[in-house]
Amino acid sequence: MRLKRALLVLTTGIASALPSGATEGQELLQAASGVVEPFRVIGNIYYVGSQYGSYLITTPEGHILHDTGSADMHDLIVSNVEKLGFSVRDIRIMISSHAHWDHVQGHAAMKRVTSAQVVALGGDAVALGSGQDNSALGAEGWEPVTVDRVVQDGDTVTLGGVTLRALWTGGHTQGATMWVTSVEERGNSYSVAFRGGEIPNAGVQLFNNPRHLTVVADTQRTLERLKELEPPDLFLHNHPQDPAPELDPALPVDPRCVTCLDGEGWRSLVARVEASFDAMLREAEGR
Ligand SMILES: [Zn+2]
């Protein structure tokens, strides 16, 4: 029997105090709420998040932070980074999966303590700067934060020998971005993709949505693109998964990683979300 990988939950009770607007993974929140001990996932990538994902990518010339979670996660991310023996003041670049409150609400506070360069793509850059969710969902916002560099599909971010490439996966938000890189572990190289987003949240207005008029076309384009991609060796989700995904035993990741999916897990996620989007479209079109 396989031991279920579990989050190290030290305290509970955060989920009930979360702001409204959560439409993703409510059950997971219940299961995963609380303080998660930070750990090294693989290579130079560390999990420093909590009920929402946040990853630290370390380099000899400073670090990159992927997602800052909800505003109430700020202190925890700071202490997680320090617990791992790194300094938050060495964070030079902040990137994100997509501009929804549960992934970028902590950006402004994190920028204040790090002076890091905030990087975002297209409509997500607009959302970060305005503090307003401009996705089809239109949920609660965040403290506006200055975006220092607006990237386009295919652009790269490089620091200390680490390069991440931005893959536009618009639909869930206007500028949802899958960041792709590679890491070395035990003498092998692994391709790693950080989740951007795939399809709009359930229940959103798909046609003539004033915030995101092209949400259907963007999502269809994203799904086609994801299906054409070579599956990454490791896909890092931005929400903890419950139950924890089964992983290829040859993949050398920390067994506590409940946000880790292997190539097979990623493939089935893409198939699942495509089926969900088909159902959403059928319903919206009254078919
Ligand atoms: Zn989202």
Side-chain angles (χ1 to χ4, degrees):
M1 200 184 92
R2 182 176 165 278
L3 283 176
K4 185 180 162 182
R5 285 166 293 141
L7 288 166
L8 294 183
V9 176
L10 303 180
T11 63
T12 55
I14 290 179
S16 57
L18 283 169
S20 62
T23 52
E24 292 177 341
Q26 286 288 7
E27 322 77 2
L28 297 179
L29 271 183
Q30 300 299 329
S33 63
V35 179
V36 179
E37 285 294 312
F39 60 93
R40 190 175 73 88
V41 176
I42 188 171
N44 56 334
I45 300 174
Y46 298 79
Y47 191 83
V48 293
S50 171
Q51 72 269 38
Y52 307 117
S54 178
Y55 299 94
L56 185 74
I57 304 145
T58 61
T59 94
E61 291 170 25
H63 314 310
I64 301 166
L65 187 68
H66 179 277
D67 281 358
T68 53
S70 50
D72 61 355
M73 280 170 57
H74 174 76
D75 291 347
L76 180 69
I77 294 176
V78 169
S79 81
N80 279 349
V81 170
E82 305 282 335
K83 258 189 209 170
L84 289 167
F86 301 108
S87 170
V88 282
R89 283 180 306 280
D90 290 335
I91 295 172
R92 302 266 182 269
I93 298 174
M94 289 160 60
I95 55 178
S96 46
S97 56
H98 63 259
H100 273 160
W101 65 270
D102 47 347
H103 306 294
V104 301
Q105 205 170 42
H107 263 46
M110 193 59 76
K111 184 168 182 164
R112 267 195 293 279
V113 297
T114 61
S115 305
Q117 179 191 47
V118 174
V119 179
L121 188 146
D124 273 23
V126 175
L128 282 169
S130 71
Q132 283 172 11
D133 178 346
N134 63 4
S135 74
L137 179 65
E140 76 176 81
W142 45 84
E143 183 185 342
V145 62
T146 302
V147 176
D148 305 284
R149 183 177 165 214
V150 179
V151 289
Q152 294 183 349
D153 188 32
D155 283 352
T156 56
V157 158
T158 299
L159 183 70
V162 171
T163 296
L164 292 123
R165 191 162 50 90
L167 236 100
W168 179 45
T169 58
H172 187 71
T173 64
Q174 295 190 30
T177 305
M178 181 159 136
W179 289 96
V180 182
T181 189
S182 65
V183 297
E184 299 291 323
E185 179 70 39
R186 298 176 207 170
N188 292 314
S189 179
Y190 297 88
S191 60
V192 178
F194 294 84
R195 183 193 193 210
E198 297 87 26
I199 64 172
N201 292 88
V204 304
Q205 182 184 332
L206 289 183
F207 295 102
N208 304 315
N209 188 307
R211 283 178 301 276
H212 190 176
L213 287 169
T214 56
V215 63
V216 169
D218 288 349
T219 303
Q220 285 167 332
R221 192 188 148 284
T222 289
L223 289 169
E224 287 312 309
R225 177 168 219 190
L226 293 179
K227 285 190 292 181
E228 282 166 10
L229 273 187
E230 179 77 21
D233 297 320
L234 173 63
F235 180 73
L236 293 172
H237 208 288
N238 53 358
H239 288 273
Q241 306 294 291
D242 186 21
E246 296 276 351
L247 286 185
D248 178 350
L251 192 61
V253 297
D254 189 299
R256 286 170 290 180
C257 186
V258 294
T259 54
C260 287
L261 272 70
D262 60 17
E264 190 69 20
W266 182 75
R267 225 190 276 268
S268 69
L269 175 140
V270 173
R272 220 168 41 242
V273 295
E274 184 181 32
S276 301
F277 188 62
D278 281 348
M280 287 168 73
L281 264 186
R282 274 198 305 276
E283 197 186 325
E285 289 168 341
R287 284 189 277 144

